[in-house]
């Protein structure tokens, strides 16, 4: 019988991008391990290849982008961030970062914490 115990930190990911970030975002997603889980939030209609446990959430505008990032942060980045069994990777594309600047305090809070 196969053990269900974790052998290391879970690779948990949030990747955020827009149309202008798609080439780099695809490279980032290609580098994710097969066991990674998390979410991609993208301001684009393009399909993106992801590992099986990584979902893609498409948004239409900057307000939805900021709202989705804030919601992910509230759910997945609790104040107790010293869990050694949890590894979180965050990638925000340059264009998406510009779009979020000043509109998403959650991104600033993440940057300060990380």
């Amino acid at each position: 019988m196969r053990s269900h115990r974790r052998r290391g930190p879970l690779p948990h990911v949030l990747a955020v991008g827009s149309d202008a970030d798609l080439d780099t975002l695809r490279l980032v997603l290609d580098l994710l391990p097969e066991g990674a889980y998390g979410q991609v939030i993208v301001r684009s209609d393009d399909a993106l290849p992801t590992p099986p446990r990584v979902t893609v959430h498409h948004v239409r505008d900057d307000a939805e982008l900021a709202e989705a990032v804030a919601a992910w942060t509230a759910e997945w980045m609790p104040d107790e961030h010293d869990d050694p069994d949890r590894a979180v990777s965050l990638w925000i594309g340059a264009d998406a970062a510009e779009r979020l600047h000043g509109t998403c305090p959650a991104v600033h809070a993440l940057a300060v914490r990380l």
Side-chain angles (χ1 to χ4, degrees):
M1 186 156 121
R2 196 172 81 178
S3 170
H4 294 290
R5 298 179 71 173
R6 287 188 240 155
R7 291 184 173 81
L10 286 172
H12 191 167
V13 63
L14 171 65
V16 181
S18 69
D19 283 322
D21 302 315
L22 287 177
D23 289 339
T24 307
L25 180 55
R26 284 187 180 99
L27 291 173
V28 168
L29 295 174
D30 283 344
L31 294 173
L32 292 178
E34 196 64 25
Y37 75 99
Q39 189 163 17
V40 176
I41 301 170
V42 63
R43 186 174 185 239
S44 170
D45 292 329
D46 286 25
L48 295 168
T50 62
R53 296 174 29 182
V54 175
T55 61
V56 178
H57 178 71
H58 296 275
V59 297
R60 294 180 301 241
D61 56 38
D62 294 347
E64 281 188 25
L65 185 68
E67 183 179 318
V69 171
W72 185 93
T73 303
E75 181 177 354
W76 291 103
M77 295 297 295
D79 290 334
E80 309 86 34
H81 51 81
D82 57 355
D83 182 354
D85 289 330
R86 192 162 170 261
V88 176
S89 297
L90 171 67
W91 181 87
I92 299 176
D95 187 64
E98 279 293 315
R99 293 172 182 281
L100 292 171
H101 183 73
T103 64
C104 189
V107 170
H108 179 71
L110 273 177
V112 169
R113 287 176 54 192
L114 299 174

